[in-house]
Structure formats: structure tokens, C-alpha cells
Amino acid sequence: MDDDKPARRRTRDLTSGPIPRTLLLFALPVLGSNVLQSLNGSINAVWVGRFLGEAALTATSNANLVLFLILGTVFGIGMAATILVAQSVGARDLVEARRIVGTSATFFFLVSVVFAVCGWIWVDVILTGLGTPADALPLARAYLRIIFVAVPMMNLLSFVMTVLRGAGDSRTPFVFMALAVVLDVVLNPLLIRGIGPFPELGIAGSATATLMGQTVSVIAILIVLYARKHPLRLAGADLALLKPDPALLRIVVSKGIPMGLQMIVISAAALTVMGIVNSYGSQVAAAYGIAAQLWTYIQMPALAIGAAVSSMAAQNVGAGRWDRIGKVAASGVGFNLVLTGALVALIFLFDRPVLGLFLSTDSTAIDIAAHINKVASWSFILFGVTIVLFATVRATGAVMPPLIILIISVLIVRTGFAYSMRSVIGQEALWWSFPAGSIASLVLAAAYYRFGRWRTMHMIEARPAAGEPPDTGLGVPRQRAQLLPETPNG
């Protein structure tokens, strides 16, 4: 296909050049996107709480928990598609990359529609199962029904952005994430209160703002990609690739589900610990809640670096550049130690002024929150290293070992420590459970990285070694993607 030659320049080659600089430049827009998403949620919570009160804020909190679980379920499928795309781009096989995009996009969108329809129908069952307070239930219903309508667009935008990152482009996703966030934040108060020409929709206005922001952004990013003739766009005869390929779909689902379950495991552990924290009263719960807010930001550099490492490593796997994989992982670990370490140091130095933004300065909860941070926050440096190691090994398709390691370290070690040690050291067991879990996850992840068989795995078979002519899909016979069995050790 002749148009591939100029179009390929619009994908970014992550298989050559200085690794630390390339990785950092790729990770920074991902970090910016993560920060924008968190700020979006925080600002919208302020609008809802200020204009509609505590019951409305409780309603959005319950609804957002449902949304997080839905996004977590499909997250893994998007990540699997991203790794496959990155491997194909690294191998210069854009025909295969478009085939992966077509199959994954159709499946991703259909699953999202099923979630949206089922959620709309059973919204009351879902909220009742969560134990949503009676005064917040009508508000949560009104909010969540519109959020369910927004789910297909939210997931489609997320899918497009992750695929672009797999192709080496992290700047375009950042731009359109910023567009979605700005629209959401600006429209929230206008639709909640009915300011100017906008109708007064109350809590439904907040959800409608999210729907509008996501819809406009996904339409805009698709228009731009087609206008630029992006090499991964599906046009003309390539539209037939939207019909799912069973072999590729089997890879995406079998590799995607374990990655999605990783988010579910982390969420389950967080909910378990929160339940124990609540038993110590409102002050301890408030202190822990504020500390957890800060931890969200502390973990952002590691998550951004992990996403960058995953895309970069996958491209190098596709290109057969195994000589670069270890250097990518080492650079990711180094950046995590510096960036996450710097944030933790700032929290240690300025914890009370920061906590004072959330709580009154004479609140006893500030003392508790400061203590929680001193005990637990440093452990996220270790967990950040684990994230980077996980990102490296999953770039080859090794997804079960990271899931097993998380189950052991987060569900068994962390929650087990919190439960079993309460009788010995009281509520301190809750805060020390985080270092215990992080140490366990790092030890297990490092052992698997060093001794596991992940280097023998790949999702796309028979890629050229470094220095061999790449398979471009421009007349050279192309190996189709094949699902390789994941061995018990890898």
C-alpha cells in the first residue's frame, strides 16, 4: 500500500535512539493525561458538593465506583491491543497493526454497548447492591444512567488513545484528553445550575457534561487522524478489517482479561482496607481518605512511566531488539526512583500545609494523616519499581505472573497483614500493611523479571532479529499473529 510510506512517519519509532531521553519524552504527555483526569474528578466533585450538597457528592462517589469497575474490566482488552499494535509497529508491519485495530475496536465498542445497556436497565440493582444511602439513591440513579450512556464514548476515546500510544504517539492523546477535561469542567456548573442558555439539570448535568466532553473529544480525535491519513486509520478496503478476526480476538481477550483483573485485585484490596479503616471512626477514616488522595498523585509518575515502558518495550520486542529491553526497564526504574522519590520527599517536608487544604488546621485528623503518610508513602517508590517491571514483562505477553504476584502481595500479604496484626499493633497494622505489600510485590516481581521465562514469549510470532530486513507489509510475506501458550513460569 503506497500510502503507508509517508504515513508511517506519523508513527514514532521507539526502537532506536537514546533510550532515557526517548522514554522520558514519551512518558511526560502520559503523565499529563493522568494528572488531567485526576484534576477533572476533583474539580467536578467540588462543583457537585458546593452546588448540590453531601447527598449528591455521595451519589457521585457511589456511581464512580461502578464506573471504575467497568473501566477496569475493559482496561485489559485495550492494553492487550496496545501491546499487539506496538509489536506490529516495531516490526514495521502496519497491515497487521490495522488488522489488530479493526478487530479490537469492534469488540471493544460492542462490549461497551453491552455494559451501557445492562447498566441502564439494572441501575437500581447495582446501586442497592453497593449499599447506596437512601437519600443519595435517586441522585445516584439520575447520574449513573447518563454515565452509562457515556460509557461507549468514554471507552472508545480510551481505546483510540491507548492504540496511538502503542504506535509511539503520546502527544495526540494528551491534547484530546485535555479537550475532554476542559469541556467537562466548564460545562459542569453550567448544566448543574442552568447558567445562561443551558438547562438546569442538577446532578444529571454533571454526568451530561462528561458525556458531552467525551463525545466531542472522540469525534475530534477521529477527524484529525483521518485528516492526517494516520497509518492506523481504517478506510476504503480496510474497513472490512472491522469484522473481528477470531485468531486475533482470542489473543486480545486471553491476554486482556488478566490485565483487567489486575485493576480489580487492587480495587478489592483498597475496599477491604477501607472497610477496616471505617471501623476506627470518622476521624481516622477522614485522615486515611486524605492520605489516599495524595497517594493518587504520588503514583502518577510510575503509572505514566509504566505505560511508556510497555509501549517502548513492545515495539522493541516486535523489532527483535532484545538488546534494548533491559535498558528500557532500567531507565524506567531510574526515572521512577527520581520522580516518585521526589514527590514522597515533598510530602514528608510539606505534609501539614498540603493536608491543611483538605482539613481545618486544628483537626486531629491532620496529625493522623501526617503519621499515615510517614509510615506508608515511601512504599509507593517500591511499588513504582514493580509497575515498571510488570510493564516490561507484559510487553511480551506475559500477563499471568503479574496477576498472580498482585494477588499474593496485595490481596494476601497486604490485607492479611492488616487483619492479623491489628491484635498486636492496633491501627498501625493498616498503615504498615502498605510497605509489607509493596516489599512483597517488589521481591516477587524482581525474581520473575530475573529468572522468569518471559523473554521466550511473544504474541506475534517470527519477528525479525535486529539488523534483518523488516516485514513492512509492502510485498514481503507477512507472518500472521499467533497465540502462543503461556507456560506456568511465564
Side-chain angles (χ1 to χ4, degrees):
M1 298 178 67
D2 293 336
D3 65 335
D4 274 349
K5 293 181 179 179
R8 195 179 296 113
R9 300 189 190 102
R10 299 187 184 98
T11 61
R12 184 173 182 180
D13 183 13
L14 302 177
T15 64
S16 60
I19 290 174
R21 181 176 182 274
T22 303
L23 182 63
L24 182 61
L25 291 178
F26 188 86
L28 286 176
V30 182
L31 175 59
S33 297
N34 292 346
V35 171
L36 284 174
Q37 284 183 300
S38 292
L39 288 175
N40 184 27
S42 299
I43 294 172
N44 288 349
V46 170
W47 289 133
V48 170
R50 179 167 296 180
F51 289 149
L52 301 174
E54 292 181 1
L57 195 57
T58 301
T60 59
S61 297
N62 279 265
N64 287 334
L65 178 59
V66 176
L67 179 61
F68 180 82
L69 292 174
I70 291 173
L71 296 178
T73 303
V74 297
F75 163 82
I77 296 171
M79 279 303 305
T82 300
I83 292 169
L84 281 167
V85 167
Q87 288 187 3
S88 297
V89 169
R92 307 297 192 270
D93 190 349
L94 297 180
V95 174
E96 190 67 35
R98 282 193 290 272
R99 193 182 302 276
I100 294 161
V101 169
T103 290
S104 302
T106 299
F107 180 72
F108 205 76
F109 188 72
L110 289 177
V111 169
S112 299
V113 170
V114 170
F115 273 124
V117 172
C118 292
W120 174 276
I121 294 172
W122 291 309
V123 63
D124 285 336
V125 175
I126 294 169
L127 291 173
T128 302
L130 282 175
T132 305
D135 60 338
L137 188 59
L139 297 169
R141 180 191 302 116
Y143 180 86
L144 192 54
R145 275 193 165 150
I146 296 176
I147 288 297
F148 276 126
V149 174
V151 160
M153 288 302 172
M154 295 172 73
N155 282 340
L156 183 58
L157 178 61
S158 175
F159 175 78
V160 172
M161 292 194 301
T162 55
V163 165
L164 287 177
R165 288 171 185 154
D169 179 7
S170 60
R171 294 181 183 177
T172 302
F174 171 73
V175 170
F176 288 93
M177 174 56 68
L179 173 62
V181 169
V182 168
L183 288 173
D184 195 350
V185 169
V186 171
L187 289 172
N188 245 272
L190 301 180
L191 290 168
I192 290 173
R193 295 295 293 270
I195 299 172
F198 295 93
E200 183 177 352
L201 300 178
I203 195 170
S206 180
T208 303
T210 299
L211 170 62
M212 293 173 67
Q214 297 287 317
T215 302
V216 169
S217 191
V218 74
I219 292 173
I221 195 171
L222 290 174
I223 289 173
V224 168
L225 294 178
Y226 274 82
R228 291 178 179 174
K229 296 186 176 180
H230 193 278
L232 297 185
R233 79 194 190 286
L234 301 180
D238 284 338
L239 288 173
L241 299 178
L242 288 170
K243 181 181 179 181
D245 181 314
L248 284 176
L249 187 57
R250 190 167 64 251
I251 301 173
V252 171
V253 173
S254 65
K255 298 296 183 181
I257 288 176
M259 286 190 278
L261 287 175
Q262 290 178 33
M263 291 188 69
I264 304 301
V265 167
I266 293 173
S267 299
L271 289 173
T272 301
V273 171
M274 190 70 228
I276 304 173
V277 169
N278 286 336
S279 68
Y280 285 97
S282 59
Q283 279 194 332
V284 173
Y288 175 76
I290 298 306
Q293 284 269 355
L294 298 182
W295 296 344
T296 299
Y297 290 94
I298 288 175
Q299 294 180 85
M300 281 184 182
L303 293 172
I305 293 165
V309 164
S310 188
S311 295
M312 195 170 184
Q315 280 203 19
N316 282 279
V317 168
R321 292 299 307 269
W322 286 92
D323 56 307
R324 290 169 58 89
I325 304 296
K327 297 174 184 177
V328 171
S331 296
V333 169
F335 283 131
N336 170 72
L337 293 175
V338 172
L339 296 177
T340 307
L343 288 179
V344 171
L346 288 173
I347 293 296
F348 267 80
L349 292 173
F350 304 107
D351 57 346
R352 291 185 178 275
V354 173
L355 293 169
L357 297 174
F358 299 92
L359 299 164
S360 60
T361 54
D362 59 348
S363 172
T364 306
I366 282 191
D367 295 327
I368 301 172
H371 175 69
I372 294 172
N373 271 321
K374 284 183 171 58
V375 171
S377 61
W378 63 271
S379 68
F380 291 103
I381 301 174
L382 307 182
F383 196 69
V385 176
T386 300
I387 289 172
V388 172
L389 297 180
F390 281 174
T392 305
V393 301
R394 77 183 180 204
T396 67
V399 294
M400 283 304 297
L403 174 60
I404 294 169
I405 289 170
L406 278 181
I407 291 173
I408 294 171
S409 61
V410 175
L411 273 184
I412 298 177
V413 175
R414 181 191 295 175
T415 59
F417 187 96
Y419 268 113
S420 63
M421 294 301 291
R422 279 195 304 164
S423 60
V424 180
I425 56 176
Q427 65 182 249
E428 290 296 304
L430 296 171
W431 325 140
W432 282 103
S433 70
F434 287 91
S438 294
I439 291 170
S441 64
L442 177 57
V443 169
L444 293 172
Y448 179 71
Y449 178 85
R450 175 64 181 84
F451 300 108
R453 296 168 60 182
W454 60 274
R455 293 172 183 82
T456 66
M457 297 186 60
H458 43 280
M459 289 192 280
I460 297 180
E461 196 173 37
R463 291 309 184 190
E468 292 182 6
D471 177 3
T472 63
L474 301 174
V476 180
R478 174 171 43 85
Q479 293 287 337
R480 286 298 314 279
Q482 295 184 19
L483 178 63
L484 300 182
E486 191 167 331
T487 66
N489 294 321

